[in-house]
Amino acid sequence: MFHLASAIFWGLVQPFNLAMFLALAGAVFSLLRWRRLGAFSAAAAFLVLSLSGWTTLGALLLQPLEERFQRPSNVPDTVAGIIVLGGGFEGAINLARGGYELNASADRFVEAAILAHRFPTLPVIVSGGSGSVFLEGEGDAQTAPRLLEGLGVDPARIRLEGRSRDTFENARFTRELVQPGDGQTWLLITSAFHMPRSVALFRAQGFDVVPWPADYRTTGREGIGLSHDNVLDSLANTTTGLREWIGLFAYRLTGRTPTLLPER
């Protein structure tokens, strides 16, 4: 129920959809001759789109998330395994075509392959089912072996957790799968902006992973002002940043994590 509710809520409030709903409301109000409400809705739609696409709002939302955790300078010799969270594949396309088409978060799996070669005896855990509510798609745990094997990772090392639909379930089901022992070190790979929420949820499950962020979206030097990126990338950054912060607040308010942001 939580997964469905969050998907519906996010479908309503993500910037582009919100702007379209506001513009539609403005048109309806104008037809009904409620001119002030129509003008207000149209102005609000323009404000949402302009802030999201023409300013550094998205980068400023992402920066504190991406800077929360850095890759460790010294990796312990006794690493037990590598965990990579799903979200890097185009599930609907791969279901139809049987390939491994990648999306903007594909760096997660590139980094997983690099670490797999750096630590050639460790298991590689892929956590991610199909989290889509409105589109049918192949889960990342189904797609990832085709890519990782193509990048030279021994399939015998790959273990799959394909039930999870969101980050909470990633943490829960991955812990059930690997049954981490006391004092073991597991490396967790996910997008840098997604790492705070992931670490918080894994810790809440009693699984104290070592963050290994990938897939950065900002330089870390953006300030308040107009964006120097293209409009679509700025809009995507705003959408991603809002989603992460909403997710952090939602998990905190529902008691799934003990704090808004986990300690470094």
Side-chain angles (χ1 to χ4, degrees):
M1 195 64 178
F2 180 90
H3 181 71
L4 176 61
S6 62
I8 294 172
F9 175 76
W10 177 241
L12 295 173
V13 303
Q14 63 173 292
F16 182 80
N17 287 355
L18 179 59
M20 293 301 100
F21 292 143
L22 287 169
L24 178 61
V28 172
F29 290 146
S30 296
L31 288 174
L32 295 174
R33 300 192 178 185
W34 297 344
R35 292 188 175 86
R36 288 186 180 178
L37 281 175
F40 175 81
S41 295
F46 175 79
L47 183 64
V48 169
L49 282 181
S50 59
L51 285 175
S52 299
W54 293 343
T55 75
T56 57
L57 174 62
L60 295 177
L61 288 170
L62 290 174
Q63 278 180 11
L65 300 175
E66 293 192 337
E67 297 298 324
R68 191 72 182 177
F69 293 101
Q70 305 297 322
R71 292 182 187 175
S73 55
N74 296 311
V75 180
D77 295 330
T78 56
V79 176
I82 301 162
I83 301 166
V84 56
L85 301 189
F89 294 103
E90 294 290 349
I93 295 174
N94 291 327
L95 179 64
R97 297 185 178 274
Y100 39 78
E101 299 302 322
L102 305 171
N103 62 28
S105 295
D107 286 0
R108 304 179 186 188
F109 288 94
V110 174
E111 195 62 37
I114 292 171
L115 280 178
H117 288 295
R118 180 176 173 181
F119 300 99
T121 62
L122 297 184
V124 179
I125 315 300
V126 180
S127 177
S130 177
S132 177
V133 173
F134 305 110
L135 288 175
E136 186 179 5
E138 184 175 72
D140 282 17
Q142 295 174 270
T143 309
R146 298 198 292 267
L147 175 65
L148 293 176
E149 289 172 34
L151 294 174
V153 180
D154 183 352
R157 299 171 55 195
I158 302 171
R159 298 176 63 187
L160 306 176
E161 182 289 294
R163 294 186 292 161
S164 55
R165 299 166 299 170
D166 53 35
T167 314
F168 172 76
E169 292 183 351
N170 285 146
R172 176 185 171 190
F173 295 147
T174 301
R175 191 185 192 288
E176 290 179 4
L177 175 66
V178 305
Q179 293 292 307
D182 293 339
Q184 284 188 339
T185 299
W186 288 81
L187 303 181
L188 176 66
I189 304 170
T190 190
S191 300
F193 63 81
H194 186 238
M195 190 60 79
R197 184 153 57 112
S198 302
V199 168
L201 287 163
F202 270 78
R203 287 179 181 174
Q205 293 292 323
F207 196 168
D208 194 11
V209 291
V210 174
W212 196 275
D215 179 35
Y216 287 85
R217 306 294 175 89
T218 73
T219 65
R221 298 190 295 270
E222 293 87 352
I224 298 174
L226 295 177
S227 175
H228 298 293
D229 211 340
N230 67 68
V231 173
L232 291 179
D233 284 346
S234 295
L235 178 60
N237 282 345
T238 303
T239 302
T240 300
L242 280 174
R243 182 168 187 165
E244 279 305 306
W245 282 106
I246 290 172
L248 284 164
F249 276 102
Y251 281 132
R252 177 67 188 95
L253 291 173
T254 56
R256 293 188 169 191
T257 55
T259 60
L260 180 64
L261 289 171
E263 294 182 4
R264 289 182 172 89

